[in-house]
Amino acid sequence: MVASDTESLCDVHAAAEVSSLGERIGTYSFPATAVGYRELLTWARGLGTVRRAVVEGTGSFGAALSRYLLAQQVEVFDVNWPDWSDRRRRGKSDAADAQLGPGGVERAGTRPGQVRRRAGAVRRMFKLAKGSAVKTRTQATNQLKAVLVTADPVLREELAGLNNRALVRTCARLADNDGDGGGGDVVLQATHVTLSLLAQRIEQLTGQIDEPNQRLTCLVERHAPQLLIPVGIGPDSAVTLLITMGDKPERLKNEASFAALCGVSPVEYSSGRRSSRRLNHEGDRQANAALHRIVFTRLRVDPRTQAYYERRTQEGKTRREIIRCLKRCAAREVFNLVRTVSTDPPL
């Protein structure tokens, strides 16, 4: 059995040869490249038949190595490391980590879980590209509006009342109206140029948002179109929830497990004669935010959700308690819609 540890700074894999008694025979390093992966597997097969490998970080630095080993018909396991107190005692090194993989997992009181074939790999990449562009566009939009606060009052009046799209479109053309910039108010000219550059950047980022968004929509329509049927579930929320389900499939024994994973399971919060529950602040916060968007969309447009809200309000429930219940119901609905769909579609 071979274990591997990857360090981002040195880009190598440390593989340990361990006896059946757990004693380290030797440790060797291989570059984290395609050639290095082949060399590692060739070295391991020189020791005997390789059926299993234990890899640290199968979802990050060890992801590429894990995919290569799986393609070579080697069963890959991910290491669940012991608590940090154990690491503080034994220190941190590639050799020690690689040795712990195959021989020390049971002694450390942990068990390796089979590596997850991330069904959300493509979705996650597109979601990352879209999220980065959205964050940058929001920053540029805030900067554009901050410039307008100190701009010439005549210019502010011209742009007042425009929605964001019209404002960006108008500001993008401001620099074209300054001529050669040889005369006039230099501050006003600088304002025009700055607003134009920011607006053009926003337009470019909008295109960078639209493209991955279209790809994400196509992925959802291809692999889980039933998620787009219920009210309030859009492509972005559907992708987020599919990524969460794909990352932790072994934890989703039932819909209650999915609710806990999304942080929408109720948490007991009682003291003395007072018995209540509160919101769960754990779990995947991105999935939690997706369920939050679904619930608030339904509160605006779905008569059934609005009727439920009114009925629970009359029963004495607070708004926070009702929102918690609605998010829990949304999680149950999503789980039941996706449970029969493969979490590992062809990519």
Side-chain angles (χ1 to χ4, degrees), residues 98-143:
Q99 181 183 1
L100 180 61
V105 173
E106 289 78 10
R107 294 196 303 274
T110 60
R111 295 179 58 191
Q114 190 170 6
V115 64
R116 298 182 292 270
R117 297 174 183 262
R118 290 188 171 228
V122 173
R123 302 185 195 115
R124 182 179 289 280
M125 291 179 187
F126 290 148
K127 192 76 164 58
L128 175 64
K130 177 185 174 181
S132 175
V134 168
K135 183 177 180 180
T136 307
R137 186 180 67 174
T138 301
Q139 183 183 39
T141 303
N142 292 338
Q143 290 171 340

Side-chain angles (χ1 to χ4, degrees), residues 171-330:
C171 289
R173 299 193 300 265
L174 285 177
D176 298 335
N177 302 328
D178 282 345
D180 58 4
D185 189 342
V186 294
V187 175
L188 181 60
Q189 292 175 2
T191 302
H192 283 185
V193 171
T194 302
L195 290 174
S196 179
L197 291 173
L198 288 171
Q200 292 174 23
R201 184 182 304 168
I202 293 170
E203 290 179 338
Q204 293 174 355
L205 290 167
T206 299
Q208 294 178 15
I209 293 170
D210 292 341
E211 182 176 353
N213 195 51
Q214 292 173 2
R215 294 180 181 273
L216 288 170
T217 302
C218 291
L219 286 173
V220 177
E221 290 175 345
R222 183 185 310 162
H223 301 300
Q226 70 277 16
L227 271 183
L228 301 179
I229 297 175
V231 177
I233 305 181
D236 190 76
S237 296
V239 166
T240 301
L241 294 169
L242 285 173
I243 289 174
T244 300
M245 297 183 78
D247 282 350
K248 305 287 185 181
E250 73 281 359
R251 295 177 60 180
L252 303 182
K253 300 177 181 179
N254 48 47
E255 55 90 14
S257 299
F258 179 61
L261 183 60
C262 296
V264 295
S265 56
V267 177
E268 193 71 24
Y269 192 68
S270 303
S271 178
R273 296 182 178 179
R274 180 176 177 272
S275 179
S276 63
R277 293 178 174 84
R278 65 167 176 81
L279 293 170
N280 188 347
H281 302 298
E282 303 297 329
D284 188 326
R285 306 318 298 170
Q286 294 296 323
N288 191 289
L291 293 171
H292 191 83
R293 291 193 297 270
I294 292 171
V295 166
F296 274 81
T297 300
R298 291 177 173 180
L299 283 173
R300 290 196 307 269
V301 301
D302 184 27
R304 285 178 35 182
T305 304
Q306 295 168 350
Y308 175 86
Y309 185 88
E310 293 297 329
R311 177 169 59 83
R312 299 291 279 179
T313 301
Q314 294 174 2
E315 294 175 358
K317 296 292 184 181
T318 65
R319 178 178 176 83
R320 179 172 294 184
E321 291 173 334
I322 298 172
I323 296 300
R324 187 196 71 222
C325 294
L326 288 171
K327 289 168 73 173
R328 181 67 173 81
C329 292

